[in-house]
């Protein structure tokens, strides 16, 4: 019985509790550091990225290649931001219909995303952000995302 409940819970999708479009300033405030992180990625500016994060957190990616091989990688925030180098290409990450959940000083944002380079789809997946609020300001503690190159929508 317990195994059946665990399996059912594992396959259940996260419900969207907040109506979309988001109509509250609380949800908008949670999105501020994510928007800032994406702006830092677009500007290819590691300092802009780090300004949106908590140092004890990090970034995690679960990659699925077209041939079906999978890998998991973890980066500290300095390692993640340090991998963003200046260059001529234009990076852009777009969240699609994110769900925002808030409980006191913790929040979660979950949503599909598309990552483009020079306006061409490079990869896509799902982003999951863990955020905390300290002294009235939201910061990204962790981001975990899936990454694939097939089935992407621009």
């Amino acid at each position: 019985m317990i195994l059946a409940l665990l399996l059912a819970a594992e396959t259940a999708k996260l419900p969207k509790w907040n109506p979309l479009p988001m109509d509250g300033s609380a949800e908008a405030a949670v999105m501020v550091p994510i928007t800032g992180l994406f702006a830092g990625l677009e500007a290819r500016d590691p300092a802009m990225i780090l300004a949106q994060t908590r140092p004890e957190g990090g970034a995690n990616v679960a990659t699925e290649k077209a041939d079906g091989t999978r890998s998991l990688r973890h980066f500290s925030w300095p390692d993640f931001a340090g991998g963003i180098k200046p260059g001529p290409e234009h990076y852009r990450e777009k969240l699609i219909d994110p769900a925002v959940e808030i409980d006191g000083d913790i929040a979660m944002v979950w949503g599909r995303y598309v990552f483009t380079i020079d306006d061409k789809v490079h990869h896509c997946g799902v982003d999951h952000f863990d955020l905390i609020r300290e002294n009235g300001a939201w910061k990204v503690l962790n981001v975990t995302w899936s990454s694939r190159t097939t089935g992407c929508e621009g």
Side-chain angles (χ1 to χ4, degrees):
M1 174 83 167
I2 293 174
L3 181 58
L5 289 173
L6 289 173
L7 289 174
E10 186 175 311
T11 59
K13 292 194 178 213
L14 179 70
K16 290 187 179 180
W17 292 351
N18 290 321
L20 296 173
M22 291 175 267
D23 57 2
S25 61
E27 291 84 6
V30 167
M31 293 302 294
V32 167
I34 295 170
T35 302
L37 193 146
F38 286 171
L41 184 62
E42 193 166 331
R44 297 174 84 154
D45 183 336
M48 283 178 71
I49 293 169
L50 292 174
Q52 306 306 318
T53 65
R54 291 279 306 190
E56 67 272 18
N60 306 281
V61 59
T63 302
E64 181 182 341
K65 294 188 178 181
D67 66 5
T69 59
R70 296 171 184 256
S71 65
L72 297 171
R73 292 183 1 203
H74 170 77
F75 303 92
S76 67
W77 282 122
D79 288 343
F80 175 80
I84 308 300
K85 306 283 186 205
E89 304 87 5
H90 178 251
Y91 293 169
R92 184 166 185 250
E93 186 159 346
K94 178 183 172 191
L95 270 177
I96 302 164
D97 295 329
V100 177
E101 297 300 332
I102 305 165
D103 184 37
D105 290 329
I106 67 168
M108 178 202 69
V109 175
W110 171 285
R112 293 181 306 115
Y113 76 90
V114 175
F115 186 88
T116 59
I117 299 177
D118 294 333
D119 297 322
K120 293 184 178 133
V121 174
H122 184 265
H123 65 275
C124 64
V126 170
D127 280 339
H128 171 253
F129 294 89
D130 291 323
L131 299 100
I132 58 172
R133 181 172 46 198
E134 185 175 48
N135 300 321
W138 288 102
K139 294 285 185 172
V140 177
L141 179 62
N142 296 297
V143 62
T144 301
W145 71 96
S146 57
S147 177
R148 65 184 63 84
T149 55
T150 58
C152 298
E153 302 168 10

